Amino acid sequence: IGRVIAGMNRPAFVGLCEVESLTVLEDLVEDEQLAPAKYGIVHYESPDYRGIDNAFLYAKDYLRVLDSRAIAINFPPEVAENYTTRAILYVRGLHRKTDTLHFFINHFPSRRGGLEASEPKRRYVAEQLKREIDLITGRNPQSEIIVMGDFNDETDNNSIRQVLAAQTEINNPQANNLYNMFAPLDAAGEGTYNYRGDWNMLDQIIVSGSLLD
């Protein structure tokens, strides 16, 4: 993983899913390939019964973290009874001492049991995410927001296209709308996950229009 991140020219911000523990993250950022980036870590233990967490790495020269929290997902019985999933990781930071950036790192519930049967769980998580985003843009429509993660849904599935309203066309962006930066890649037949020979675009980065000018 360190070699891959280093091969991406040590990006300023990295979202991670399926993280076992803080210790693993500390080992990762201390890897000789990544140490020059001086990565800081944001991590909270997850209620997922397998103990897999979301995490965020940031180059301290580019971002000063101001606030962070884990947004717990509590399913109502009609959606999922006695089911736990990963919290949404939220991070607010000051980029180069001028711009406030809002990050949401996600790992939506899996497709276990089938796409349709599992969809209500992903829709519900997307609703909680959208509510948090709307609270931010309601205070400041120009807020700069980056949403990333493994959504276990494609760019045109309901949780992404309908609930988050992440648009696939990036012409004439509006500041407080969301735009899916991976939709053009998905339309071109590319993907981030290969299942039985078929490419799926389950991992995506979605940004507010304020970042597209």
Side-chain angles (χ1 to χ4, degrees):
I1 292 172
R3 185 168 67 249
V4 169
I5 297 174
M8 295 164 64
N9 206 22
R10 293 192 290 263
F13 318 116
V14 182
L16 296 168
C17 299
E18 300 201 6
V19 174
E20 180 188 22
S21 65
L22 178 61
T23 301
V24 172
L25 296 165
E26 291 172 339
D27 289 346
L28 178 62
V29 300
E30 291 170 5
D31 182 279
E32 62 180 10
Q33 301 168 98
L34 298 185
K38 301 177 183 177
Y39 281 122
I41 299 169
V42 181
H43 168 262
Y44 294 90
E45 288 293 335
S46 169
D48 185 288
Y49 72 95
R50 292 166 297 175
I52 55 176
D53 314 328
N54 294 328
F56 181 70
L57 306 182
Y58 62 97
K60 295 177 182 177
D61 290 344
Y62 288 89
L63 190 78
R64 179 166 66 90
V65 170
L66 303 174
D67 181 31
S68 68
R69 59 190 172 95
I71 302 168
I73 305 298
N74 300 306
F75 290 106
E78 63 270 20
V79 175
E81 196 163 5
N82 300 320
Y83 185 91
T84 58
T85 192
R86 286 72 60 173
I88 300 169
L89 177 58
Y90 168 71
V91 179
R92 178 172 61 94
L94 197 61
H95 178 239
R96 293 187 180 275
K97 300 181 180 180
T98 56
D99 293 330
T100 299
L101 296 179
H102 303 267
F103 297 89
F104 292 92
I105 298 88
N106 304 268
H107 187 182
F108 282 17
S110 74
R111 297 185 172 196
R112 182 177 298 175
L115 177 61
E116 290 187 11
S118 61
E119 183 186 50
K121 300 188 189 75
R122 290 187 296 281
R123 285 186 64 103
Y124 183 80
V125 176
E127 288 167 0
Q128 310 316 302
L129 172 59
K130 186 64 164 61
R131 183 185 63 187
E132 296 287 338
I133 292 171
D134 287 346
L135 288 172
I136 294 171
T137 56
R139 292 190 294 266
N140 178 10
Q142 298 293 326
S143 294
E144 298 181 335
I145 298 169
I146 301 173
V147 181
M148 63 177 84
D150 176 358
F151 296 93
N152 274 309
D153 264 337
E154 305 273 1
T155 61
D156 60 352
N157 285 144
N158 292 332
S159 68
I160 305 297
R161 193 68 184 91
Q162 292 183 7
V163 180
L164 290 183
Q167 301 187 28
T168 57
E169 296 294 331
I170 309 176
N171 299 322
N172 302 314
Q174 303 298 308
N176 62 345
N177 286 343
L178 294 176
Y179 297 86
N180 197 324
M181 307 308 295
F182 278 43
L185 300 174
D186 193 14
E190 298 187 31
T192 63
Y193 175 74
N194 192 286
Y195 181 68
R196 296 180 178 176
D198 181 36
W199 280 104
N200 293 239
M201 189 65 76
L202 303 183
D203 309 278
Q204 299 155 46
I205 296 177
I206 299 167
V207 305
S208 58
S210 53
L211 283 167
L212 295 177
D213 58 20

